[in-house]
Each structure stands twice: as C-alpha cells, then as structure tokens.
Amino acid sequence: MKRYDKDTQHMITLTLNGVTRTARAEPRMLLVDFLRHTLGATGTHVGCEHGVCGACTVQVDGVAVRSCLQLAVQADGRSVDTVEGLNRTGAAELGDLQQAFKSHHALQCGFCTAGILMSCSDFLGRVNNPSRQQVTDMLSGHLCRCTGYTNIIDAVLDVAAQRTEKSGEQTENA
C-alpha cells in the first residue's frame, strides 16, 4: 500500500462520470468531500458520515460504495460515477431509472435519492430480473424518511421489467 505524507496534498487523478479530472487532496480527505468541494459534484450528499444512511453512495469502477468511508487517495486512477453521470447518453432527458423514480413518485425530499439511484444502478447491472425481496434487501442499506420504500421498489422492478423486455426484443431482432 502506498504511504502518504499526512502534511502534504497529493495529486489525485480519476475519471469522474467519464471525464478525467485531476486535483489535490490531503491524504485524510474523504472521497465524498473531494467530489463535492474539490470537483463540484454536489449531487453526492453527505448524510451520516458513518456509512449507514447510503446518501453518499457512488460507483467506483462500477461498484456501489459509500464515499464517506473511502479516502480520495484511494480513488486515484479509478473511475468514479455519481448521480450527475447516471444518464450518459448526452440527452437532456432522464435515464430510465431516473424516469421510473419520477413516474412512480419514488422520491420526495430527494436527499437520499442520489445514493439510492447509484445503488439501484449497480444492482440492476448485476441482477437482470430481481424479485421484490431482492430489491428490498438491496435497499436495506439506505435510509429514506419520506417514501416508505414501496414506490422505490416498484420503480426498480419496473425498470428491470422494461430492460428484460427490451433485451428480449433485441434478441428476437438479431
């Protein structure tokens, strides 16, 4: 493991939502603070700062992680995706997961939404046709005080069904 001088800022280069970014960070700076304060990716929220609430969830190399538990120096050379990069088509409209959250009223105050979206994106990338219980289990790492989770679960299941149907149509047309 690389050792860092605690009194020196270090250059961190990462790919943020598909764009290479470089900035300085102290070795003890958390990834969530680096993203928000240094790189301006303010869609990632700071909640409990203990990894319990899930509001700060981002994807590092495609895997959902709590950015309040990871140091910025640990993201050096990695790919980091935040809610700002969830729809990479370049279009102004929402991605399918974001649209499903809107359609199913799966958000209210929105504070937890970015982290939940990032976890759901990771989850749906690994589990093609999840059961209601699997979605519920995945969401157990997130705290939401507003929605009661039912609409979030419905939105995730809807996206999974749409993606399964779409992949079936592509297979038939091939």
Side-chain angles (χ1 to χ4, degrees), residues 8 11 21 28 38 40 58 65 78-79 88 116 122 136 171:
T8 305
M11 291 300 284
R21 302 284 303 271
R28 65 182 174 271
T38 305
V58 299
V65 299
R78 314 285 290 275
S79 175
R88 289 245 186 101
I116 290 175
D122 171 43
T136 300
T171 303

Side-chain angles (χ1 to χ4, degrees), residues 130-144:
S131 69
R132 187 169 203 82
Q133 186 59 52
Q134 286 174 303
V135 177
T136 300
D137 290 346
M138 180 271 302
L139 288 171
S140 69
H142 289 275
L143 297 178
C144 177

Side-chain angles (χ1 to χ4, degrees), residues 45-47 97 166:
H45 293 154
V46 181
L97 189 56
K166 190 175 184 180

Side-chain angles (χ1 to χ4, degrees), residues 43-143:
T44 303
H45 293 154
V46 181
C48 66
E49 297 185 83
H50 296 286
V52 176
C53 73
C56 69
T57 303
V58 299
Q59 291 180 15
V60 176
D61 293 336
V63 178
V65 299
R66 303 292 201 249
S67 61
C68 73
L69 297 178
Q70 182 167 346
L71 298 171
V73 294
Q74 292 174 296
D76 189 26
R78 314 285 290 275
S79 175
V80 177
D81 294 308
T82 66
V83 71
E84 290 96 339
L86 199 54
N87 183 13
R88 289 245 186 101
T89 64
E93 59 268 358
L94 299 174
D96 61 350
L97 189 56
Q98 294 162 309
Q99 185 59 51
F101 269 57
K102 180 180 176 186
S103 299
H104 287 273
H105 307 287
L107 62 132
Q108 288 182 22
C109 82
F111 190 81
C112 65
T113 306
I116 290 175
L117 283 166
M118 296 311 293
S119 286
C120 291
S121 173
D122 171 43
F123 176 73
L124 289 173
R126 292 180 290 108
V127 182
N128 293 329
N129 192 17
S131 69
R132 187 169 203 82
Q133 186 59 52
Q134 286 174 303
V135 177
T136 300
D137 290 346
M138 180 271 302
L139 288 171
S140 69
H142 289 275
L143 297 178

Side-chain angles (χ1 to χ4, degrees), residues 142-153:
H142 289 275
L143 297 178
C144 177
R145 294 179 180 208
C146 301
T147 65
Y149 301 97
T150 300
N151 294 349
I152 296 171
I153 294 166

